Amino acid sequence: MREVRASAPGKVNLTLRVGPPNPDGYHPLVTVFEALSLRETVTVRTTKTPGVRVETTAYLPDGRVDEATTAAMADLDPGSHLAVRAARILQRLAAAGPWASTAAGVSIRVDKRVPVAGGMAGGSADAAAALVACNQLWDLGLGADQLQAIGRSLGADVPACLVGGIALGTGRGDRMRVLADGEAGDTSAHHWVMLLAHEGLSTPEVFREFDRVDAACAPGLVEPTPGETRALRSGPEELSPRLVNDLQAPALRLRPELARTMEAARRAGALAVTLSGSGPTVAALARDAEHAHDLARALEAEDTVARAMCASGPAHGAVVEETEVS
Ligand code: C5P
């Protein structure tokens, strides 16, 4: 029996510029991701019974099990669980290699700490962690570029969860250039309060609303200048005026109550407030860790806020944590 445990980060978009859709319906993006300290853990284990099984447990910030999300994940069709889809792709590759005899069956355990359907790439982080875990489980020896290519086929945010740190995404947001490694000494730490909404928001729906109103007047996409890149890697004061998200206006039209969350965060003293990805999570930038805790305590009381979670970045990308052979 072999067992491998890996983890991968959720993310916030420091910048997210969106162009009008391509003929395939996808939108060209220029976005800068920051990987967050909230991580998904995926443990994969070879089994004698063939097939892929998955069990997901979601946790609240205080470590208790989030029963509602855990039950919702149990009802999910395994074919739409990104960790399962990632494992199936690597299982097919393993079946042709020296580990063929152990590739028949795999069980996957997902421990979720990134909110579901929040615009923080929780599902993509599941896929990224499953990819690095299965790569090790079956000794596939896939390099970073190959994992990126497979990740891209699973979802536009998967490559960002693989690389971590602060990274520029172009194309569909899935062609990565690392701007700063996670937890690197030369990059300032950013402390955030992630303000969860009571209800998730569908990413395609937000993009459709962008197409309906915003696409026609979207400015041309340009990559950040070296000066802008430096500011994004600097401390919170320099970062705060640079936060921008073209999906914020369409998301707020679909969920007007998010404007109340954003306004409350500004009033409470956040340095800057932005939507995380396609939302509905609102990210409030704090001065430091203590300020983030104070903001979280104050904002949890807002009726538009389901939960306030502290997170910091940039965190490292997907990584194997432990391997066991017995
Ligand atoms: O790639 P992923 O499956 O995560 O994307 C979810 C949805 O978000 C897509 O089906 C598409 O509607 C939208 N999307 C987009 N342009 C992108 C990324 C995502 O329109 N660059």
Side-chain angles (χ1 to χ4, degrees):
M1 196 271 297
R2 280 164 73 92
E3 183 175 289
V4 179
R5 179 161 52 86
S7 71
K11 58 82 183 170
V12 62
N13 300 74
L14 303 181
T15 67
L16 176 51
R17 308 300 336 219
V18 183
N22 293 324
D24 63 5
Y26 270 82
H27 296 71
L29 306 181
V30 172
T31 180
V32 175
F33 295 98
E34 175 164 88
L36 294 176
S37 51
L38 296 172
R39 299 181 79 80
E40 306 287 62
T41 306
V42 172
T43 309
V44 293
R45 175 204 284 246
T46 52
T47 61
K48 291 209 176 77
T49 351
V52 178
R53 271 161 305 278
V54 68
E55 194 186 307
T56 306
T57 309
Y59 296 90
L60 297 165
D62 63 8
R64 281 180 303 139
V65 171
D66 175 349
E67 303 286 356
T69 307
T70 299
M73 292 300 296
D75 287 343
L76 192 72
D77 165 20
S80 57
H81 198 310
L82 280 179
V84 173
R85 292 179 48 204
R88 280 186 180 150
I89 294 174
L90 266 52
Q91 189 182 33
R92 275 198 296 276
L93 294 177
W99 292 99
S101 60
T102 64
V106 60
S107 77
I108 307 174
R109 180 183 161 81
V110 180
D111 290 301
K112 282 191 84 63
R113 290 177 182 83
V114 181
V116 172
M120 296 175 64
S124 301
D126 293 348
L131 286 176
V132 299
C134 290
N135 190 29
Q136 172 100 348
L137 186 73
W138 293 310
D139 271 339
L140 290 169
L142 298 172
D145 287 350
Q146 289 162 300
L147 291 176
Q148 292 270 316
I150 297 169
R152 206 172 284 132
S153 75
L154 290 164
D157 287 339
V158 179
C161 298
L162 282 167
V163 299
I166 295 180
L168 173 69
T170 54
R172 293 176 170 186
D174 57 356
R175 305 269 160 190
M176 309 310 301
R177 180 151 58 87
V178 175
L179 303 176
D181 289 332
E183 290 151 24
D186 64 341
T187 306
S188 299
H190 302 144
H191 293 273
W192 301 91
V193 184
M194 308 305 288
L195 301 165
L196 275 56
H198 290 285
E199 232 188 298
L201 191 50
S202 140
T203 300
E205 203 186 327
V206 177
F207 274 105
R208 274 197 298 275
E209 177 64 13
F210 172 88
D211 294 345
R212 192 179 71 80
V213 177
D214 311 272
C217 49
L221 292 177
V222 285
E223 292 192 12
T225 63
E228 284 162 346
T229 299
R230 210 169 317 116
L232 296 173
R233 299 172 40 168
S234 301
E237 301 285 350
E238 292 94 325
L239 170 64
S240 60
R242 305 284 177 172
L243 299 179
V244 61
N245 185 343
D246 288 343
L247 295 180
Q248 188 169 305
L252 261 63
R253 284 196 298 276
L254 294 171
R255 290 285 168 76
E257 70 273 17
L258 294 178
R260 291 191 6 235
T261 302
M262 299 184 93
E263 185 44 39
R266 283 189 202 100
R267 256 199 334 267
L271 296 186
V273 185
T274 188
L275 191 75
S276 182
S278 60
T281 301
V282 167
L285 182 64
R287 276 193 306 277
D288 52 32
E290 199 185 333
H291 187 211
H293 279 105
D294 291 347
L295 286 173
R297 219 170 307 131
L299 291 166
E300 214 145 36
E302 293 292 322
D303 60 358
T304 56
V305 175
R307 204 186 300 157
M309 297 172 89
C310 292
S312 62
H316 59 84
V319 67
V320 169
E321 308 268 2
E322 201 181 349
T323 302
E324 235 180 78
V325 182
S326 58

